[in-house]
Amino acid sequence: METNRQKKISGLLQQDLAEVIQQILRDAGTHNIVVSVTKVRVTPDLLQAKAYLSIFPPSKAEPVMTEIQSLRKTIKHAIAQRTKQQLRRMPDLLLFNDDSIEYINDIEEAFKGKNNPIKNPDLLDDSKKR
């Protein structure tokens, strides 16, 4: 269970991280890509922050995520400058690709289309038919 302090720091980091990433991508000349920070989780000792990024369009998620990972130290420094009045020590950033929206869309398409496992149980392997 997260403490109030963890929740406040998570919210602060989520907002600042989104702004910093958008600015860095804009400065790098990357256009037509939307990066949103879906969730930030801070450890109880406030030393690590796990940030989950949702990238649209999903086809460009891998190269954009690689670029963001390579700029992790720059991003951390920019956020530390923004939060120096609120945080004594900037948590180490761990960045992950959040592909849950793509996963949900795949499930919806499966149920709408001909890959519906309810209408066509032959699509499932034998262990899942029971």
Side-chain angles (χ1 to χ4, degrees), residues 20-50:
V20 167
I21 288 175
Q22 286 292 346
Q23 184 63 45
I24 286 175
L25 289 176
R26 200 174 307 119
D27 292 346
T30 307
H31 299 288
N32 300 328
I33 293 177
V34 177
V35 177
S36 62
V37 182
T38 55
K39 188 168 207 110
V40 175
R41 295 237 171 178
V42 180
T43 57
D45 59 4
L46 308 177
L47 294 179
Q48 282 188 340
K50 293 181 181 180

Coordinates of all heavy atoms in Angstrom, one line a residue, residues 20-50:
V20 N 8.7 16.8 -19.6 CA 10.2 16.7 -20.0 C 10.3 15.8 -21.3 O 11.0 16.2 -22.2 CB 11.0 16.2 -18.9 CG1 12.4 15.8 -19.3 CG2 11.1 17.3 -17.8
I21 N 9.7 14.7 -21.3 CA 9.8 13.8 -22.4 C 9.2 14.4 -23.7 O 9.9 14.4 -24.8 CB 9.1 12.4 -22.2 CG1 10.0 11.6 -21.1 CG2 8.9 11.6 -23.4 CD1 9.3 10.3 -20.7
Q22 N 8.1 15.1 -23.6 CA 7.5 15.8 -24.8 C 8.5 16.8 -25.3 O 8.7 17.0 -26.5 CB 6.2 16.4 -24.4 CG 5.0 15.4 -24.3 CD 4.7 14.7 -25.6 OE1 5.1 15.1 -26.7 NE2 3.9 13.6 -25.5
Q23 N 9.1 17.6 -24.4 CA 10.0 18.6 -24.8 C 11.3 18.1 -25.4 O 11.7 18.6 -26.5 CB 10.4 19.5 -23.5 CG 11.3 20.7 -23.9 CD 10.6 21.7 -24.8 OE1 9.4 22.0 -24.6 NE2 11.3 22.1 -25.8
I24 N 11.8 17.0 -24.9 CA 13.0 16.4 -25.4 C 12.7 15.8 -26.8 O 13.5 16.0 -27.8 CB 13.6 15.3 -24.5 CG1 14.2 16.0 -23.3 CG2 14.5 14.4 -25.2 CD1 14.7 15.0 -22.2
L25 N 11.6 15.2 -27.0 CA 11.2 14.6 -28.3 C 11.0 15.7 -29.3 O 11.4 15.6 -30.5 CB 10.0 13.7 -28.2 CG 10.2 12.4 -27.5 CD1 8.9 11.6 -27.4 CD2 11.3 11.5 -28.2
R26 N 10.4 16.8 -28.9 CA 10.1 18.0 -29.8 C 11.5 18.6 -30.2 O 11.6 18.9 -31.4 CB 9.3 19.0 -29.0 CG 8.6 20.0 -29.9 CD 7.6 20.9 -29.2 NE 6.7 20.2 -28.3 CZ 6.6 20.4 -27.0 NH1 7.4 21.2 -26.4 NH2 5.7 19.7 -26.3
D27 N 12.4 18.7 -29.2 CA 13.7 19.3 -29.6 C 14.5 18.4 -30.5 O 15.3 18.9 -31.3 CB 14.5 19.5 -28.3 CG 13.9 20.7 -27.4 OD1 13.1 21.4 -27.9 OD2 14.3 20.8 -26.2
A28 N 14.3 17.1 -30.4 CA 15.0 16.1 -31.2 C 14.4 16.1 -32.7 O 15.0 15.4 -33.5 CB 15.0 14.7 -30.6
G29 N 13.3 16.7 -32.9 CA 12.7 16.7 -34.2 C 11.7 15.6 -34.4 O 11.3 15.3 -35.5
T30 N 11.3 14.9 -33.4 CA 10.4 13.8 -33.5 C 9.0 14.4 -33.5 O 8.6 15.0 -32.5 CB 10.6 12.8 -32.3 OG1 11.9 12.4 -32.3 CG2 9.7 11.6 -32.5
H31 N 8.2 14.1 -34.6 CA 6.9 14.6 -34.7 C 5.9 13.5 -34.9 O 6.2 12.4 -35.2 CB 6.8 15.6 -35.9 CG 7.7 16.8 -35.7 ND1 7.5 17.8 -34.8 CD2 8.8 17.1 -36.4 CE1 8.4 18.7 -34.9 NE2 9.3 18.3 -35.9
N32 N 4.6 13.8 -34.6 CA 3.5 12.9 -34.8 C 3.6 11.7 -33.9 O 3.2 10.6 -34.3 CB 3.4 12.4 -36.3 CG 3.2 13.6 -37.2 OD1 2.5 14.5 -36.9 ND2 3.7 13.5 -38.4
I33 N 4.2 11.9 -32.7 CA 4.2 10.8 -31.7 C 3.7 11.4 -30.4 O 4.1 12.4 -30.0 CB 5.6 10.2 -31.6 CG1 6.0 9.5 -32.9 CG2 5.7 9.3 -30.4 CD1 7.4 9.0 -32.9
V34 N 2.8 10.6 -29.8 CA 2.3 11.0 -28.5 C 2.8 10.1 -27.4 O 2.7 8.9 -27.6 CB 0.7 11.0 -28.5 CG1 0.2 11.4 -27.1 CG2 0.2 11.9 -29.5
V35 N 3.5 10.7 -26.4 CA 4.0 9.9 -25.3 C 3.3 10.3 -24.1 O 3.3 11.5 -23.7 CB 5.5 10.0 -25.2 CG1 6.0 9.2 -24.0 CG2 6.2 9.6 -26.4
S36 N 2.6 9.4 -23.4 CA 2.0 9.8 -22.1 C 2.5 8.9 -21.0 O 2.8 7.7 -21.3 CB 0.4 9.7 -22.3 OG 0.1 8.4 -22.5
V37 N 2.6 9.4 -19.9 CA 3.0 8.7 -18.7 C 1.8 8.2 -18.0 O 1.0 8.9 -17.4 CB 3.9 9.6 -17.8 CG1 4.4 8.8 -16.6 CG2 5.0 10.2 -18.5
T38 N 1.5 6.9 -18.1 CA 0.3 6.3 -17.6 C 0.3 6.1 -16.1 O -0.7 6.2 -15.4 CB 0.0 5.0 -18.3 OG1 1.1 4.1 -18.2 CG2 -0.4 5.2 -19.8
K39 N 1.5 5.8 -15.6 CA 1.6 5.5 -14.1 C 3.1 5.6 -13.7 O 4.0 5.3 -14.4 CB 1.1 4.1 -13.8 CG 1.0 3.8 -12.4 CD 0.2 2.5 -12.1 CE -0.4 2.6 -10.8 NZ -1.8 2.7 -10.7
V40 N 3.2 6.1 -12.5 CA 4.5 6.2 -11.8 C 4.4 5.5 -10.5 O 3.5 5.9 -9.7 CB 5.1 7.6 -11.7 CG1 6.4 7.6 -10.9 CG2 5.3 8.2 -13.1
R41 N 5.2 4.6 -10.2 CA 5.2 4.0 -8.8 C 6.6 4.2 -8.2 O 7.6 4.0 -8.8 CB 5.1 2.5 -9.0 CG 3.8 2.1 -9.5 CD 3.1 1.2 -8.6 NE 1.7 1.0 -9.1 CZ 0.9 0.2 -8.4 NH1 1.3 -0.4 -7.4 NH2 -0.4 0.1 -8.9
V42 N 6.5 4.7 -6.9 CA 7.8 5.0 -6.2 C 7.9 4.0 -5.1 O 6.9 3.7 -4.4 CB 7.7 6.5 -5.6 CG1 8.9 6.8 -4.8 CG2 7.5 7.5 -6.7
T43 N 9.1 3.5 -4.9 CA 9.4 2.6 -3.8 C 9.2 3.2 -2.5 O 9.4 4.5 -2.4 CB 10.8 2.0 -3.9 OG1 11.7 3.0 -3.9 CG2 10.9 1.1 -5.2
P44 N 9.0 2.5 -1.4 CA 8.8 3.1 -0.1 C 10.0 3.9 0.4 O 9.8 4.8 1.1 CB 8.5 1.9 0.8 CG 8.0 0.8 -0.1 CD 8.7 1.0 -1.4
D45 N 11.2 3.5 0.0 CA 12.4 4.3 0.4 C 12.7 5.5 -0.5 O 13.6 6.2 -0.2 CB 13.6 3.3 0.5 CG 13.9 2.7 -0.8 OD1 13.2 3.0 -1.8 OD2 14.9 1.9 -0.9
L46 N 11.8 5.7 -1.5 CA 11.9 6.8 -2.4 C 13.2 6.9 -3.2 O 13.6 7.9 -3.7 CB 11.7 8.2 -1.6 CG 10.5 8.3 -0.7 CD1 10.5 9.6 0.0 CD2 9.2 8.1 -1.5
L47 N 13.8 5.7 -3.4 CA 15.0 5.7 -4.2 C 14.8 5.3 -5.6 O 15.7 5.5 -6.5 CB 16.0 4.7 -3.5 CG 16.5 5.1 -2.1 CD1 17.5 4.0 -1.6 CD2 17.2 6.4 -2.2
Q48 N 13.7 4.6 -6.0 CA 13.4 4.3 -7.3 C 12.0 4.7 -7.7 O 11.1 4.6 -6.9 CB 13.6 2.8 -7.5 CG 15.0 2.3 -7.6 CD 15.0 0.8 -8.0 OE1 14.0 0.1 -7.9 NE2 16.1 0.4 -8.5
A49 N 11.9 5.0 -9.0 CA 10.5 5.3 -9.5 C 10.4 4.6 -10.8 O 11.2 4.7 -11.7 CB 10.4 6.8 -9.8
K50 N 9.4 3.8 -10.9 CA 9.1 3.0 -12.1 C 8.0 3.8 -12.9 O 6.9 4.0 -12.4 CB 8.5 1.6 -11.8 CG 9.6 0.7 -11.2 CD 9.0 -0.7 -10.9 CE 10.0 -1.6 -10.3 NZ 9.5 -2.9 -10.0

